[in-house]
Amino acid sequence: MARGTVTLARAAVVVRAGAAPLWWLGIAAAAAGAWQDGLTGQWIGLYAGAALFLVVAPAVYAVRRGRVLAQARKAQRAGRGAVLQDRAVTLRTWRRARRWWLAAAFAVAAGSAAAMPIAGGLVLAGAGAGLRAKAAWLGRREREQEALLWLPVGAVTARGAGTGGSGAAYLRTGIAAGDAPPGGGVRRGSPATV
């Protein structure tokens, strides 16, 4: 059992935090690109973007899953002094730490429409879909193990946090802890937050 007072953020919520921004920024960039012909024309951009979406989404879903499973197997039980961070706070912290990366990704995706319309936006949307699928996969693992996985809040701002790349050790609690169910979604009866 991990001892001492520590503030914990849900691992699945951290994974899920990038899904909505990437998805909606990607859709916005694709929609903006749909008004341009670019160098390749809209149809080629659409087909290329759809193909890239089908490559990027599974790739993002698959990356580092083995490391996540290895860390989850070694997870210690969180101590009595652990403070569980609200889902909304975790989402806000993750997104605030990466707001410039998200803005740069949108700018690149929207700017790429000058060469190939729509495609760049669908790449971003594919990354968002992959993260959402990975959070759902993590939720299935949590249900199977009947334990929720948590990270120290300092890892939320770390590169790769929640996906096995931050190097932070997971801690676990019972399935009913915190304000988010397995997978990091919104618990029934809670205010909706993406």
Side-chain angles (χ1 to χ4, degrees), residues 41-144:
Q42 291 180 351
W43 285 109
I44 292 176
L46 177 61
Y47 293 140
L52 288 169
F53 181 97
L54 294 175
V55 170
V56 170
V60 170
Y61 169 74
V63 71
R64 292 181 174 152
R65 286 201 315 160
R67 189 179 297 182
V68 169
L69 288 176
Q71 288 183 339
R73 281 193 288 268
K74 295 186 293 185
Q76 294 184 334
R77 187 160 186 83
R80 291 177 181 271
V83 176
L84 306 180
Q85 188 175 74
D86 290 346
R87 178 182 185 275
V89 174
T90 301
L91 291 174
R92 188 167 56 247
T93 302
W94 190 98
R95 292 169 182 172
R96 186 176 295 154
R98 290 162 178 80
R99 62 188 180 278
W100 297 115
W101 289 106
L102 292 170
F106 174 75
V108 169
S112 70
M116 186 177 289
I118 305 170
L122 291 182
V123 168
L124 274 190
L131 285 176
R132 183 69 177 261
K134 184 182 286 188
W137 165 79
L138 190 53
R140 288 191 297 274
R141 298 292 305 179
E142 289 177 325
R143 285 188 190 91
E144 289 170 10

Side-chain angles (χ1 to χ4, degrees), residues 143-164:
R143 285 188 190 91
E144 289 170 10
Q145 302 299 319
E146 295 188 349
L148 302 181
L149 298 173
W150 300 78
L151 287 164
V153 292
V156 176
T157 56
R159 184 175 178 271
T163 59

